[in-house]
């Protein structure tokens, strides 16, 4: 998928694991013990019940997302876009791609956790139709609370159209 930004959204391959892990450490796990090692990301890339997506501009990684599919629910593990490319629709397009995959698999419930103090992400998910369903105190490193979010795709469809088609 491409648009005028020349951004392609494509499934990750094994050789992307290092870059995705570094990006997660820098953009998502900042200040926390690193849990998404390259080995763990590689496991998700290989797992047939997971989808790991990359967003690339001129073949440079500018975003990624990881979703794991269970029987009746899909869990969004990670989603990040490089700061210089935010608010251009890349995050929405990654999520839209994953939501469409869930619907094709007959799964309509998407869940995720996000740091309760991550206002940018909370605004993003709220805009895309996600609702807070709970709070887990001290979920991250026994220090930071997690907000639980969910979206029922049977109500209102997927998160708008990807702009990268
Ligand atoms: C959250 C994140 C993935 C959003 O990615 P993005 O590519 O900037 O999002 P989009 O451009 O697709 O935004 C879609 C809509 O979400 C909302 N939105 C996104 N970022 C927002 C912000 N910082 N403040 C308010 N609304 C925001 C807007 O309504 C936006 O539409 P608009 O730009 O037309 O107003 C990005 O900010 C990020 O990587 N953050 C750091 C990592 C992170 O916190 N990940 C989530 C936890 S795993």
């Amino acid at each position: 998928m491409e648009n005028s930004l020349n951004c392609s959204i494509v499934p990750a391959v094994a050789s992307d694991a290092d870059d995705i892990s570094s990006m997660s450490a820098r953009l998502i796990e900042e200040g926390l013990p690193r849990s998404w090692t390259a080995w763990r990301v590689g496991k998700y890339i290989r797992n047939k019940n997971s989808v790991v997506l990359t967003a690339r501009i001129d073949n440079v990684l500018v975003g990624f997302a990881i979703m794991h599919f269970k029987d009746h629910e899909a869990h969004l593990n990670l989603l990040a876009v490089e700061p210089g490319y935010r608010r251009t629709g890349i995050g929405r397009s990654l999520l839209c791609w994953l939501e469409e995959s869930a619907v094709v698999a007959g799964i309509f419930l998407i869940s995720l956790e996000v740091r309760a103090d991550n206002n940018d992400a909370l605004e993003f998910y709220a805009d895309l139709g996600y609702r807070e369903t709970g709070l887990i105190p001290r979920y991250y490193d026994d220090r930071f609370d997690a907000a639980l979010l969910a979206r029922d795709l049977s109500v209102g469809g997927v998160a708008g159209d990807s702009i990268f088609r």
Side-chain angles (χ1 to χ4, degrees):
M1 297 197 231
E2 293 199 359
N3 83 333
S4 59
L5 252 186
N6 202 23
C7 180
S8 311
I9 294 189
V10 288
V13 294
S15 56
D16 292 323
D18 271 333
D19 288 344
I20 290 173
S21 169
S22 305
M23 214 168 146
S24 173
R26 192 163 41 84
L27 301 180
I28 300 175
E29 300 180 276
E30 192 191 3
L32 295 171
R34 188 166 183 169
S35 104
W36 286 89
T37 59
W39 177 82
R40 187 176 179 199
V41 173
K43 237 176 66 168
Y44 277 74
I45 291 173
R46 290 189 303 274
N47 187 333
K48 65 178 177 37
N49 293 320
S50 301
V51 175
V52 182
L53 284 183
T54 61
R56 298 179 173 280
I57 293 180
D58 296 334
N59 213 28
V60 174
L61 184 71
V62 296
F64 75 94
I66 299 179
M67 182 170 271
H68 185 69
F69 296 89
K70 304 177 200 171
D71 284 346
H72 302 292
E73 182 183 334
H75 190 77
L76 182 66
N77 295 101
L78 297 176
L79 168 66
V81 175
E82 285 289 0
Y85 293 94
R86 289 181 190 165
R87 303 304 292 265
T88 64
I90 294 174
R92 181 194 296 272
S93 298
L94 285 164
L95 192 50
C96 177
W97 204 108
L98 292 171
E99 288 182 350
E100 285 178 355
S101 304
V103 169
V104 167
I107 295 170
F108 292 92
L109 180 64
I110 310 287
S111 65
L112 64 103
E113 300 97 36
V114 62
R115 264 175 66 162
D117 60 0
N118 187 344
N119 291 324
D120 288 350
L122 290 171
E123 296 259 19
F124 167 79
Y125 289 119
D127 185 66
L128 272 60
Y130 285 75
R131 297 289 165 253
E132 290 198 37
T133 56
L135 186 91
I136 308 180
R138 301 159 75 107
Y139 178 78
Y140 296 104
D141 198 30
D142 205 23
R143 286 189 290 155
F144 304 108
D145 300 346
L148 305 180
L149 304 183
R151 176 149 196 248
D152 179 354
L153 299 174
S154 65
V155 181
V158 299
D161 243 357
S162 165
I163 60 170
F164 302 107
R165 286 182 191 283

